[in-house]
Amino acid sequence: MNQAKSIKDLLPFLRGVRRISVLTGSGISAESGVPTFRGEDGLWRTYRAQDLATPEAFDRDPALVWEWYDWRRNLMASKEPNRGHRVLAEWESRFPEFTLITQNIDGLHQRAGSQRVLELHGNIWKMRCTREGTVRENRESPLSPLPPTCPECGALLRPHVVWFGESLDSEVIQQASQVSSRSDLMFVIGTSAVVQPAASLPLATLQAGGRVVEINPDPTPLTPHATFTFRGKAGEVLPRMDEALSSSGAEEGEEQ
Ligand code: OAD
């Protein structure tokens, strides 16, 4: 049984830990109005990943793929970070060593103030030249013309995101793996924990003797392995944890 009775039960494990990491998925942005992939209104319920999120799909029909990404960019452009994102941004200075690893491409963690973010799957606000590999930021929404081309060499630009069948940026995944196996505690928030290699990161933490705390309204394949599970929305559970941490810190101060 790994269901924490209350946030209070978690506090002794949080006090004094040095290295904390967090792995987030689309669920943390759900309360901002960004659709998840596998939930009730998830993108993969309506769209086929192989038609829109693979290198083959892009080779076949770059305009179609770009239309879909442009639609998603438009949708995300109006969304704001929520309380969950903001708590994680504050935790960067609360804990001595804190690393945020995300599968999300929406950039909401950075907009909430997180400065060190390992983006496993890239960023939808960046584009990459298919010829030279140069990456540039572009927040234009809607994009015009579609598909966009490289201002320097005229080749097609592609979204700077990881598609199915592609490898993750080797430096990013190496850093994420290293951080995971060195973490005293990893929070896993708003991810169905089914997409590799991200899903293996919390297992690396556990294997190295660290603890894993899952925050998700629904069970996932990680749930049976998690040290603690909090069933709830990130935007509700994280502020409650933050509040409990703040008041427990005050108590400690009083005792000294
Ligand atoms: P999924 O859609 O697979 O999972 C979203 C998870 O968030 C589910 O487990 C939900 O129960 C949970 N959830 C929903 N609302 C929540 C809330 N308010 N608070 C906390 N959790 C909530 O999304 P990901 O796990 O992010 O990859 O998907 C992983 C990868 O699959 C994505 O990065 C993307 C996708 O295909 C690529 O495109 C390469």
Side-chain angles (χ1 to χ4, degrees):
M1 182 63 178
N2 61 11
Q3 185 102 14
K5 279 191 219 79
S6 70
I7 287 169
K8 227 174 130 201
D9 298 337
L10 181 69
L11 293 181
F13 296 96
L14 284 177
R15 260 188 227 121
V17 290
R18 269 203 71 73
R19 299 192 179 108
I20 294 220
S21 56
V22 177
L23 172 67
T24 61
S26 61
I28 194 157
S29 295
E31 287 156 90
S32 295
V34 178
T36 64
F37 293 93
R38 296 171 184 81
E40 227 170 81
D41 299 318
L43 293 173
W44 297 150
R45 303 263 173 150
T46 314
Y47 301 97
R48 281 159 31 108
Q50 59 268 42
D51 294 342
L52 298 161
T54 62
E56 294 76 22
F58 189 72
D59 288 344
R60 211 167 36 233
D61 195 342
L64 175 76
V65 170
W66 263 117
E67 268 170 38
W68 191 62
Y69 277 91
D70 189 40
W71 170 75
R72 289 178 64 196
R73 283 164 60 105
N74 290 338
L75 196 137
M76 289 174 190
S78 61
K79 308 301 184 215
E80 296 294 329
N82 63 54
R83 292 195 302 164
H85 294 111
R86 284 198 292 273
V87 166
L88 294 179
E90 282 162 23
W91 281 6
E92 212 168 69
S93 46
R94 185 187 271 282
F95 297 104
E97 281 182 47
F98 182 87
T99 309
L100 178 53
I101 306 166
T102 189
Q103 298 166 84
N104 299 347
I105 60 175
D106 56 29
L108 287 177
H109 283 303
Q110 291 89 333
R111 292 235 340 256
S114 287
Q115 294 185 18
R116 278 175 285 114
V117 185
L118 292 176
E119 292 182 312
L120 295 176
H121 294 163
N123 188 303
I124 200 165
W125 303 108
K126 290 180 181 166
M127 299 176 178
R128 189 163 81 236
C129 175
T130 52
R131 186 179 297 154
E132 295 161 338
T134 331
V135 177
R136 63 191 72 235
E137 197 169 315
N138 177 315
R139 293 196 164 261
E140 195 190 336
S141 176
L143 276 169
S144 169
L146 224 56
T149 49
C150 177
E152 270 149 34
C153 74
L156 266 180
L157 291 170
R158 57 162 284 176
H160 185 51
V161 299
V162 177
W163 283 325
F164 286 98
E166 291 187 315
S167 304
L168 275 60
D169 180 290
S170 58
E171 212 168 289
V172 174
I173 186 61
Q174 205 180 321
Q175 277 186 47
S177 305
Q178 213 168 56
V179 162
S180 303
S181 50
R182 287 187 188 160
S183 295
D184 299 314
L185 194 146
M186 177 188 271
F187 285 92
V188 181
I189 307 169
T191 176
S192 58
V194 293
V195 171
Q196 296 295 353
S200 298
L201 296 174
L203 302 179
T205 301
L206 289 169
Q207 257 158 27
R211 295 183 165 88
V212 165
V213 179
E214 184 179 55
I215 304 175
N216 198 311
D218 294 316
T220 74
L222 178 70
T223 308
H225 308 285
T227 321
F228 295 112
T229 302
F230 291 89
R231 288 260 160 276
K233 295 182 174 179
E236 292 168 9
V237 176
L238 282 169
R240 286 213 308 272
M241 280 183 181
D242 189 53
E243 221 170 279
L245 269 169
S246 298
S247 45
S248 80
E251 274 165 29
E252 274 174 354
E254 279 158 20
E255 277 167 19
Q256 280 164 9

